[in-house]
Amino acid sequence: RVADAISRYANDRHFRQSDDGRVRMYPSYVPVGKDTEAESKVLTATGRRAAKNPPVQQFPKWVRHIITADDGMVFFEADYSQIEAWLTAIECRDERMLELLYSGEKIHEWALGELRKVDPRMTYHGAKRVVHGTNYLMGWGTLQKSLHDDGIYVEAAVVKAFIAMMRSILPGRTNWQRDVLAEAAQQGFV
């Protein structure tokens, strides 16, 4: 399965033997601060750096473990999703969201516990998808596809129940979303 996925995105020239004797992939990355036209096309809109030769950001998540950082460099993962949760909580002034964030609890872990009341198969990554999806008013079909893309296969009725639950337990966010949509419609944006 991994070999098939890799062959869709990379070829032999992207691999070499690492110091530990394993064959690993060594993609190229655009250095921070470069602003030539060719290099800027590889940067993402959010400021993250993107890989090229091969474009590993297009690999399925379960394949990415084969990627090795360049000599003298390290990879790290940062969960910026909490930042979005903070901004949403502050903007909408939802008491439950603010309480969770100020207490130090991760909103996705809290959501996982709540969502498992609807479907015990829910995962942490699925809970993150539901939180983000409901923050951005994602419809049930799009949210279901997003969960499926993460390997979480739930029925439409379950996804609808997730959305309804999140709306009911975060009333401040729900009311704020309603008000923002009404204002956007009034101004001709929706």
Side-chain angles (χ1 to χ4, degrees), residues 91-109:
E91 184 65 28
C92 73
R93 295 180 182 92
D94 183 272
E95 290 179 19
R96 184 66 182 130
M97 288 181 82
L98 290 168
E99 178 185 310
L100 287 165
L101 293 165
Y102 283 124
S103 73
E105 187 171 354
K106 290 188 173 186
I107 195 162
H108 304 114
E109 290 175 5

Side-chain angles (χ1 to χ4, degrees), residues 2 10 34 37 43 47 73 83 86 90 103 110 115 165 182 187:
V2 173
K34 298 293 182 180
E37 184 175 304
L43 294 172
M73 306 297 279
I83 294 170
W86 270 99
I90 291 166
S103 73
W110 166 80
L115 294 168
M165 172 187 266
Q187 295 179 9

Side-chain angles (χ1 to χ4, degrees), residues 61 77 112 122-130 147 150 152:
K61 288 181 184 179
E77 184 176 339
L112 175 60
M122 180 51 68
T123 66
Y124 176 78
H125 292 291
K128 283 178 68 171
R129 294 246 186 199
V130 172
L147 289 166
D150 227 19
I152 302 163

Side-chain angles (χ1 to χ4, degrees), residues 57-106:
Q57 63 275 7
Q58 296 174 7
F59 279 39
K61 288 181 184 179
W62 53 269
V63 174
R64 295 182 192 171
H65 72 277
I66 64 166
I67 302 165
T68 302
D70 290 335
D71 292 339
M73 306 297 279
V74 296
F75 284 123
F76 67 93
E77 184 176 339
D79 185 358
Y80 290 109
S81 58
Q82 283 293 113
I83 294 170
E84 289 182 18
W86 270 99
L87 293 173
T88 301
I90 291 166
E91 184 65 28
C92 73
R93 295 180 182 92
D94 183 272
E95 290 179 19
R96 184 66 182 130
M97 288 181 82
L98 290 168
E99 178 185 310
L100 287 165
L101 293 165
Y102 283 124
S103 73
E105 187 171 354
K106 290 188 173 186

Side-chain angles (χ1 to χ4, degrees), residues 27-42:
S28 302
Y29 293 89
V30 175
V32 174
K34 298 293 182 180
D35 57 6
T36 66
E37 184 175 304
E39 290 170 332
S40 66
K41 289 180 181 175
V42 185

